[in-house]
Amino acid sequence: LGTTITISSNHWVMAWTGLEINTLAILPLISKSHHPRAIEAATKYFLVQAAASALVLFSSMTNAWHTGQWDITQLTHPVSCLILTSAIAMKLGLVPFHFWFPEVLQGSPLTTGLLLSTIMKLPPMALLFMTSPSLNPTLLTTMAILSTALGGWMGLNQTQTRKILAFSSISHLGWMAIIVIYNPKLTLLNFYLYALMTSTVFLTLNSIKALKLSTLMTTWTKAPALNTMLLLTLLSLAGLPPLTGFLPKWLIIQELTKQDMAPAATIISLLSLLGLFFYLRLAYCATITLPPHTTNHMKLWCTNKPTSILVAILTTMSIILLP
């Protein structure tokens, strides 16, 4: 409901209402398991999203004060554009407002993490899409390149799968933010494909119950076919050419070159190689370390539940959608 209200609204207050409904609806899902980590994650999420919502309201009120209108597409005042950009960056987890996202994702279960990194990113993306003509290009490009850099660098060191996915989300958001002024439709395309591939990875990890890289090492014996597909999906998320994830990167680089931003395109492509490294490490742990190797922890109990048809469909789409 909150997502629908935000996406279909014309008035800033309605958009704000939708964002608030979304925040309040996801909080019980984060703090569902009575664990200090989950409660901490819910508190962090609430504080950050409340601050971001207040900033959205503040920027729209500033704009209404100066121009006399509350229409979302008519955000013309430069100060309110800057405030709105920072508010949406807080909502999405763009650098420099990215610190809450890995912590919250690590504190919540995998299905909630899936919701947080796909559906909860849709309303701020819609607002960014609608206000894109009047935003500040320099600010967004800087934030985008920093997001890709930090998402890559900070993900290199992680061993928790949820944190790795959080940093991959931050670097993908960088790719979306850099193009939103020049071609907003590409941002949406990138978002849809990213959501598709991320939900595939989350649902796969959920069905093999892998929260750490060390548990991912022993899952090869449980579901060999699923693990092979996980390898391909991770490479697709990294954006390797025959797979789906290459499509948005290709189009974005092409569009940036058209806009005479070849240096930015080069930098952001080189920074996405950092992401490729940790996707490859996930893939390595999932598929290349075959069982007769030594791990210094207990083997987990094998739950032989069938993989759902949804995972199959999503995996197929996130591998062969490029043609």
Side-chain angles (χ1 to χ4, degrees):
L1 177 67
T3 309
T4 316
I5 288 178
T6 304
I7 291 173
S8 55
S9 61
N10 289 315
H11 195 289
W12 271 113
V13 177
M14 282 308 283
W16 172 81
T17 314
L19 290 171
E20 284 296 301
I21 292 174
N22 248 0
T23 304
L24 294 176
I26 200 86
L27 281 173
L29 287 176
I30 301 175
S31 56
K32 183 171 58 180
S33 65
H34 299 292
H35 187 273
R37 190 76 194 246
I39 308 298
E40 182 192 350
T43 314
K44 281 178 182 170
Y45 185 77
F46 173 72
L47 289 173
V48 172
Q49 300 296 316
S53 293
L55 279 180
V56 167
L57 213 49
F58 179 52
S59 79
S60 51
M61 280 169 65
T62 315
N63 188 59
W65 179 263
H66 283 280
T67 61
Q69 57 183 338
W70 285 93
D71 196 350
I72 292 185
T73 49
Q74 304 288 329
L75 189 80
T76 47
H77 193 252
V79 177
S80 52
C81 283
L82 289 176
I83 299 173
L84 181 85
T85 310
S86 58
I88 285 182
M90 279 175 88
K91 281 268 174 209
L92 289 171
L94 275 169
V95 174
F97 307 107
H98 64 288
F99 295 104
W100 62 273
F101 190 54
E103 299 288 329
V104 170
L105 218 58
Q106 179 59 32
S108 50
L110 277 168
T111 39
T112 310
L114 164 67
L115 290 178
L116 276 173
S117 45
T118 55
I119 298 180
M120 299 300 287
K121 301 245 184 284
L122 189 52
M125 272 294 159
L127 290 180
L128 203 59
F129 181 85
M130 287 191 280
T131 56
S132 58
S134 52
L135 296 176
N136 183 351
T138 322
L139 178 68
L140 271 176
T141 310
T142 316
M143 283 167 96
I145 289 177
L146 281 177
S147 291
T148 318
L150 275 169
W153 262 312
M154 294 173 76
L156 293 180
N157 215 4
Q158 305 295 332
T159 55
Q160 303 280 344
T161 47
R162 284 169 295 186
K163 278 200 174 172
I164 292 181
L165 285 167
F167 286 117
S168 97
S169 172
I170 291 172
S171 56
H172 274 277
L173 284 169
W175 279 90
M176 292 174 221
I178 199 168
I179 201 67
V180 72
I181 303 171
Y182 308 108
N183 196 339
K185 288 200 170 64
L186 269 186
T187 302
L188 282 191
L189 172 78
N190 193 349
F191 179 74
Y192 295 146
L193 291 180
Y194 156 75
L196 175 81
M197 297 182 289
T198 309
S199 27
T200 313
V201 175
F202 266 114
L203 289 170
T204 309
L205 290 176
N206 190 35
S207 75
I208 56 185
K209 293 188 170 49
L211 293 178
K212 296 195 292 292
L213 287 183
S214 54
T215 50
L216 201 58
M217 281 184 177
T218 56
T219 53
W220 176 256
T221 43
K222 292 185 197 174
L226 189 60
N227 269 40
T228 317
M229 289 297 121
L230 179 63
L231 165 74
L232 286 172
T233 312
L234 285 165
L235 293 183
S236 174
L237 203 50
L240 291 186
L243 307 164
T244 308
F246 178 57
L247 175 67
K249 286 191 167 43
W250 178 27
L251 293 175
I252 285 174
I253 290 171
Q254 188 182 349
E255 183 66 32
L256 285 175
T257 324
K258 277 183 201 164
Q259 300 285 348
D260 290 338
M261 289 176 68
T266 314
I267 292 171
I268 203 168
S269 316
L270 286 173
L271 288 173
S272 72
L273 290 176
L274 291 167
L276 174 65
F277 178 79
F278 58 76
Y279 294 125
L280 272 178
R281 193 174 59 194
L282 266 175
Y284 175 78
C285 286
T287 55
I288 306 170
T289 48
L290 280 175
H293 68 336
T294 55
T295 51
N296 48 4
H297 64 90
M298 298 285 291
K299 297 286 184 287
L300 294 180
W301 186 255
C302 174
T303 51
N304 203 355
K305 66 173 187 183
T307 310
S308 69
I309 185 77
L310 180 65
V311 178
I313 296 170
L314 285 172
T315 308
T316 316
M317 284 174 71
S318 53
I319 292 171
I320 56 170
L321 214 58
L322 181 62

